[in-house]
Amino acid sequence: MKRFSPLILAFGLAFSAQASDGNDVEVLHWWTSGGEARSVDTLKEMMKREGHVWRDFAVAGRAGESAINTLRIRALSGNPPDAAQIKGPEIQEWGKLGFLASVDDVAKEQRWNELVPRRVSDYLKVDGHYVAVPFNIHRVNWLWANADVLNKVGVQPPQTLDEFFSVAEKIKAAGYIPLALGNEPWQETTLFELIALAVMGTDEFHKAFIEQDSDALTSNKMRETLEVFRRMKQYTDIDSPGRNWSDTTSLVIDGKAAMQMMGDWAKGEFLAAGKQAGKDFLCIPAPGTANQFSFNIDSFVFFKNGATQTTESQKMLAKLILDPNFQREFNLSKGSIPVRVDIDMAGFDACAQDSMQAFLRAAATDNLVASLSHNMAIGRASQIALFDVISRFFNDDNVDIDETMRHIRAAVLADRL
Ligand code: GAL
């Protein structure tokens, strides 16, 4: 948010949103794929049952990049929605500028401090006040595979990067796309992140991207990460330019591609297509990252409106998101695990059970990592710059590795400007 000039800011705040009338709430989000829409529909229904009107403002595309751009324009012209999907350090950025309403009273009533792990709640507060409500914990470092394709080729899901390359070679020879990837910068950066986790290990990854250590950002491990990343390109298909993530997942669902490395919202697509975990599709940690958990937490924030108080509809929405029934329903179809620590995991499939175990294990061994590609580790300025550098490197074999490392360093450090 450092890019808002004080003048624009004053303008935005002075004309701050029209109050929504009483019981309706306009919600800006980017959950538009089959699995995502199914998941958020549960919440719309619950709001309706409670007598509130959900006005949907869904902006599809690029894992939220388009939605956030729209939100910025609306907020700066004094017309923000009542609620919006924002996560990670960006919550602080919006909060510090005074745009967000506190939901402390709901948090107190529902005892969020006891229900939500500290690692999560730190993201949700600005100056000690809750301004965001969390939905879930997504694990980003997954590999999704079509069981039938692997069977036909006669290979096991790869557990290490070396295994990945030997398996991918065989899949390619058998005429399938080994790795489904859509050529959008955030998808490419997701793949880069998962390779970096495997190659650098948690400590070095943390040093580079969280502590923003200049040497770690240009180390030999970073070079190796980029080399592996570039080597993977030959296993993707030529139709990838511009393809969105859910169409990319469909390639695996339909047996055209064997694997996709993507967060567990991909599972939502398999489920929406009527596929079964363990039978039709397999979920394995991204090669070389079995001990790590790259986390991505979805959350909604509430914008201040004309009224000084949070509206009843905003409060109801905040409350329902942490309702135990909603936590189960939503996460069953979204692919993530509940963010409440007291939800019974009975009835969740093997992927979700594994995810929960991996989360607990990673928390106990210091292997929890804020996702780099999903706005959890770095602020918006860095995120945009990083997407650009990574994408340029991946798509042009002439782009030099040393130059790219310098640009990665500059992108990550951009947050400090
Ligand atoms: C992420 C979001 C997920 C998701 C994905 C693709 O940023 O956290 O919930 O569904 O984008 O749209």
Side-chain angles (χ1 to χ4, degrees):
M1 288 312 103
K2 292 149 201 153
R3 290 155 310 287
F4 289 149
S5 80
L7 191 69
I8 294 175
L9 185 59
F11 175 83
L13 290 180
F15 289 84
S16 214
Q18 311 302 311
S20 55
D21 357 305
N23 70 343
D24 78 323
V25 61
E26 190 194 18
V27 186
L28 188 147
H29 64 95
W30 64 87
W31 283 332
T32 54
S33 76
E36 291 172 335
R38 223 161 66 108
S39 313
V40 79
D41 275 353
T42 317
L43 189 55
K44 294 181 190 171
E45 265 311 304
M46 286 173 91
M47 281 295 277
K48 197 165 153 195
R49 258 183 273 138
E50 294 292 338
H52 297 269
V53 180
W54 170 299
R55 284 194 286 121
D56 206 43
F57 193 73
V59 183
R62 297 177 170 254
E65 213 182 310
S66 316
I68 298 289
N69 285 341
T70 310
L71 178 63
R72 284 161 65 87
I73 294 165
R74 286 199 47 182
L76 289 176
S77 58
N79 179 33
D82 301 297
Q85 191 181 350
I86 301 185
K87 56 190 171 138
E90 266 200 278
I91 295 172
Q92 296 291 324
E93 296 177 350
W94 285 93
K96 292 277 184 206
L97 288 172
F99 278 103
L100 306 184
S102 156
V103 280
D104 275 344
D105 42 358
V106 183
K108 198 163 165 217
E109 186 192 323
Q110 272 184 328
R111 305 194 328 276
W112 292 7
N113 281 343
E114 292 159 43
L115 296 179
V116 175
R118 188 58 210 283
R119 288 290 283 259
V120 176
S121 61
D122 283 349
Y123 281 105
L124 312 172
K125 292 180 188 168
V126 174
D127 297 332
H129 298 286
Y130 277 104
V131 295
V133 53
F135 281 80
N136 56 2
I137 303 175
H138 270 303
R139 187 185 196 189
V140 181
N141 54 317
W142 280 115
L143 181 146
W144 304 92
N146 181 303
D148 196 36
V149 172
L150 293 197
N151 260 336
K152 282 187 182 142
V153 180
V155 290
Q156 295 293 321
Q159 297 188 12
T160 62
L161 287 170
D162 285 345
E163 282 179 25
F164 173 87
F165 286 109
S166 71
V167 162
E169 203 48 56
K170 290 184 185 139
I171 296 169
K172 195 172 177 181
Y176 299 97
I177 304 165
L179 183 65
L181 179 74
N183 213 329
E184 292 178 332
W186 77 270
Q187 291 186 57
E188 293 156 349
T189 308
T190 301
L191 181 62
F192 168 84
E193 168 180 350
L194 305 191
I195 298 169
L197 271 179
V199 171
M200 300 170 87
T202 308
D203 289 351
E204 183 89 3
F205 184 96
H206 200 273
K207 229 182 182 174
F209 297 111
I210 317 286
E211 292 169 29
Q212 306 176 338
D213 177 276
S214 192
D215 293 339
L217 282 164
T218 48
S219 69
N220 283 337
K221 290 285 180 196
M222 186 67 79
R223 177 185 304 279
E224 197 184 326
T225 299
L226 288 166
E227 283 164 356
V228 174
F229 182 47
R230 193 167 251 173
R231 201 174 146 207
M232 282 206 185
K233 194 165 129 185
Q234 61 188 304
Y235 300 108
T236 62
D237 67 310
I238 49 161
D239 293 327
S240 68
R243 189 171 52 216
N244 70 38
W245 72 273
S246 53
D247 288 348
T248 304
T249 306
S250 293
L251 292 176
V252 183
I253 295 175
D254 298 340
K256 295 188 177 116
M259 308 178 277
Q260 181 184 20
M261 288 196 229
M262 184 48 69
D264 41 22
W265 46 93
K267 190 180 84 179
E269 299 310 295
F270 284 96
L271 299 179
K275 305 292 181 190
Q276 238 183 42
K279 177 173 163 277
D280 305 308
F281 68 94
L282 309 173
C283 52
I284 27 264
T289 70
N291 295 328
Q292 294 147 318
F293 193 111
S294 162
F295 66 86
N296 173 25
I297 298 154
D298 287 311
S299 46
F300 274 4
V301 297
F302 301 91
F303 277 84
K304 285 180 182 161
N305 41 49
T308 48
Q309 304 268 313
T310 321
T311 67
E312 288 310 309
S313 297
Q314 286 175 317
K315 280 191 201 164
M316 180 53 74
L317 186 53
K319 199 165 144 183
L320 289 179
I321 292 170
L322 276 177
D323 174 272
N325 291 329
F326 174 71
Q327 281 283 308
R328 270 186 71 80
E329 285 303 306
F330 178 82
N331 286 298
L332 278 169
S333 49
K334 187 71 171 64
S336 36
I337 53 175
V339 70
R340 276 181 73 138
V341 292
D342 61 342
I343 302 292
D344 182 4
M345 290 295 286
F348 279 84
D349 64 20
C351 303
Q353 305 281 355
D354 283 1
S355 191
M356 183 55 100
Q357 290 310 317
F359 181 79
L360 297 173
R361 229 180 21 245
T365 56
D366 250 342
N367 277 302
L368 274 184
V369 190
S371 173
L372 176 68
S373 51
H374 288 276
N375 305 70
M376 299 304 295
I378 50 181
R380 192 175 158 79
S382 282
Q383 187 85 75
I384 291 170
L386 188 71
F387 281 173
D388 204 49
V389 178
I390 299 293
S391 186
R392 215 153 3 103
F393 175 79
F394 192 70
N395 289 297
D396 182 353
D397 289 342
N398 296 320
V399 173
D400 180 63
I401 288 205
D402 287 298
E403 184 194 317
T404 302
M405 291 203 292
R406 283 195 299 275
H407 286 163
I408 289 178
R409 181 175 58 192
V412 171
L413 297 181
D415 252 356
R416 298 199 190 153
L417 298 178

